[in-house]
Amino acid sequence: MNPHVNSYYEATLSGGKQRAALSGPCVADVCVVGGGLAGLTTALELVRYGKSVAVLEANRVGWGASGRNGGFVAAGYAEGLETLAGKLGADDARALFDLSREGVRMVQENIETFNLSAAQSRPGALSVVRYDNEAELASAPERLAGMFDYEVDYWPTDRVRSQLRTSTYFQGLYDASAIHIHPLNYITGLSAACEEAGVRIFEGSAGLRMRAGSTGWVVTTQGGEVGAEHVVLCHSTYGKGLHAGLDRAVLPVATYVVTTNSVPELLSEAIVSEAAIADTRRAGDYYRRLPDGRLLWGGRISTQRSEPARLAQMLKQDIVGIYPQLADIEIEYAWSGLMAYAVHKMPIIGSIGEGLWAATAFGGHGLNTTAIAGRLIAQAIAGGDDRYRLFEPFGTSWAGGSVGRAATQMVYWYYQLRDRIEETRAQRKTRNATGA
């Protein structure tokens, strides 16, 4: 069993007991493979319907991407909403967006219901552009309200720069309904709520093999096996070998995160807003001020699994490139995590066989999709709700293996080049306008 990675989240973990591995046979109505946000949400929703649930986690609860991410919880998907409407039609796109909004509310409700103050929930998310795009962003609130009944606020450049004191950013969209949290403390509290409700959680218990059984499926670990009518696979990119089609559909993509030392006065001179901040580039920066006066900063997406040798220096360079006034800031923690991506840029949620379910490919979507995935699959198993079928157009398309990883990296490089061109044009336009 691997411990949590050395990160700010691990260093500020509240509670979190170590659980025993599975030993011998176990029988449950549902076996959930993966003790991350999707797996534990699925388990919690299932026991509310009276189902018995066993969760198999290869390491510690929240060990993977669930406990290493930026902590953003906002409506929407990696795929653009207007692109979804073009592919699926307005009604289905609206229904999918409503599910993402429901996922945000689920996280908020869990924090309130289980008194998860250690999750440090804080409001607001601001999306900003790095080149002048006033015409499109100024009209976005009206489009979102008309197509999706969703309210965001348009911030012109002067308002953005009053909150983010840098010339890098231009306009932005502020989402007051979004939140940002300490994800590892959230999932630790969620695991405790699961056990209180009757869920059995086994750590150090990787699912190694799966076979058809007399009453459904049998999942084997090193120390035992679980027999269940249904199996829900929520193991992201860290566990493979149970379902070849699902394995082939997911690309492991790395992202990197650092946190700084506590310098609240210096930080507030550069970043006034306490919202979660992200730019709109494909592989953009995302960051937020933490309650203890630190800055959490993430970015630098890559398809390489290995962690860069100079990770802390790389991300500090990114920070200072935007906020030169933070040159004296120090990096205290630096870590990486592998997220699961699908080529269609949507999560994989739904049935993948008789009694088999998948909830994965949450990279780039924020934590809202992990929550709604758990509810949809639990409702399908326990109550026959078929809302999960809204995700059927995406499915488990082959991600291309090593070729797919190379192609994905090429796409990221292309987007980075395009972003740099747009930013250069914006800077040149600004210089011409000011005569500088």
Side-chain angles (χ1 to χ4, degrees):
M1 185 192 308
N2 293 316
H4 291 294
V5 297
N6 182 30
S7 71
Y8 170 80
Y9 293 139
E10 186 273 336
T12 55
L13 177 61
S14 177
K17 65 179 184 179
Q18 184 168 324
R19 299 169 175 88
L22 176 65
S23 178
C26 173
V27 177
D29 293 327
V30 184
C31 176
V32 175
V33 180
L37 289 163
L40 291 181
T41 305
T42 302
L44 185 60
E45 293 288 315
L46 282 165
V47 294
R48 288 170 172 165
Y49 285 100
K51 298 293 183 180
S52 61
V53 185
V55 175
L56 301 177
E57 167 53 44
N59 297 291
R60 299 291 305 279
V61 163
W63 179 87
S66 290
R68 308 186 194 188
N69 59 75
F72 288 37
V73 190
Y77 303 95
E79 183 62 279
L81 294 177
E82 293 179 349
T83 301
L84 285 176
K87 291 179 178 178
L88 306 176
D91 290 343
D92 282 357
R94 168 72 178 270
L96 280 168
F97 183 68
D98 286 346
L99 289 177
S100 76
R101 297 175 68 179
E102 185 177 341
V104 175
R105 292 193 297 271
M106 287 178 64
V107 175
Q108 294 171 320
E109 289 165 3
N110 284 336
I111 290 172
E112 295 169 1
T113 300
F114 303 117
N115 192 28
L116 305 183
S117 58
Q120 302 173 356
S121 176
R122 306 176 88 185
L126 177 63
S127 175
V128 291
V129 293
R130 291 172 58 124
Y131 57 91
D132 193 343
N133 197 19
E134 180 177 5
E136 182 173 343
L137 262 71
S139 63
E142 183 177 355
R143 295 199 309 273
L144 288 171
M147 295 178 65
F148 301 102
D149 192 26
Y150 195 63
E151 292 186 7
V152 296
D153 294 328
Y154 167 69
W155 284 19
T157 302
D158 57 352
R159 184 171 183 184
V160 169
R161 293 182 178 177
S162 73
Q163 295 294 300
L164 309 177
R165 291 172 178 166
T166 172
S167 60
T168 301
Y169 303 134
F170 290 80
Q171 300 83 23
L173 296 175
Y174 180 75
D175 183 352
S177 67
I179 61 173
H180 48 103
I181 65 173
H182 187 305
L184 189 55
N185 278 345
Y186 173 74
I187 199 169
T188 298
L190 201 63
S191 66
C194 283
E195 289 187 314
E196 181 69 22
V199 175
R200 289 167 288 176
I201 301 174
F202 302 99
E203 295 182 326
S205 302
L208 302 177
R209 293 176 300 279
M210 184 170 62
R211 70 178 190 274
S214 58
T215 59
W217 296 93
V218 177
V219 181
T220 302
T221 70
Q222 186 174 6
E225 61 181 29
V226 179
E229 182 181 358
H230 296 269
V231 174
V232 186
L233 301 177
C234 307
H235 49 61
S236 190
T237 63
Y238 287 101
K240 289 192 173 185
L242 294 181
H243 191 279
L246 190 60
D247 291 346
R248 291 193 296 266
V250 173
L251 281 172
V253 176
T255 188
Y256 310 112
V257 185
V258 299
T259 52
T260 70
N261 56 330
S262 181
V263 283
E265 294 82 8
L266 177 62
L267 194 57
S268 63
E269 291 176 3
I271 304 171
V272 178
S273 175
E274 294 188 353
I277 313 297
D279 68 50
T280 57
R281 295 175 300 164
R282 179 64 174 162
D285 302 314
Y286 53 94
Y287 54 96
R288 58 193 182 93
R289 289 174 53 182
L290 298 174
D292 58 3
R294 303 172 193 270
L295 175 66
L296 180 145
W297 187 285
R300 296 263 186 163
I301 287 176
S302 171
T303 58
Q304 299 297 317
R305 285 178 174 266
S306 58
E307 186 173 296
R310 299 179 64 254
L311 175 56
Q313 295 91 327
M314 284 170 48
L315 266 67
K316 180 175 179 179
Q317 182 180 358
D318 292 348
I319 295 170
V320 176
I322 297 174
Y323 297 105
Q325 60 269 54
L326 298 180
D328 293 333
I329 212 163
E330 298 177 4
I331 303 299
E332 289 198 347
Y333 295 95
W335 67 95
S336 65
L338 288 177
M339 301 179 292
Y341 277 80
V343 292
H344 47 60
K345 296 189 288 186
M346 288 292 286
I348 297 173
I349 301 171
S351 174
I352 54 172
E354 185 65 31
L356 289 178
W357 305 83
T360 188
F362 298 116
H365 307 294
L367 306 186
N368 65 296
T369 49
T370 64
I372 195 59
R375 173 167 289 175
L376 293 177
I377 290 176
Q379 289 178 338
I381 291 172
D385 190 314
D386 67 352
R387 290 190 298 164
Y388 73 90
R389 294 187 182 278
L390 285 164
F391 292 92
E392 283 185 342
F394 310 104
T396 55
S397 304
W398 182 47
S402 59
V403 175
R405 288 194 295 274
T408 300
Q409 188 65 63
M410 293 291 288
V411 169
Y412 285 137
W413 286 336
Y414 163 73
Y415 277 113
Q416 288 171 337
L417 175 61
R418 193 175 72 178
D419 289 333
R420 282 195 292 269
I421 291 171
E422 293 286 357
E423 290 167 34
T424 301
R425 287 174 178 169
Q427 292 165 1
R428 186 181 299 119
K429 182 178 179 181
T430 299
R431 288 195 298 268
N432 291 339
T434 60

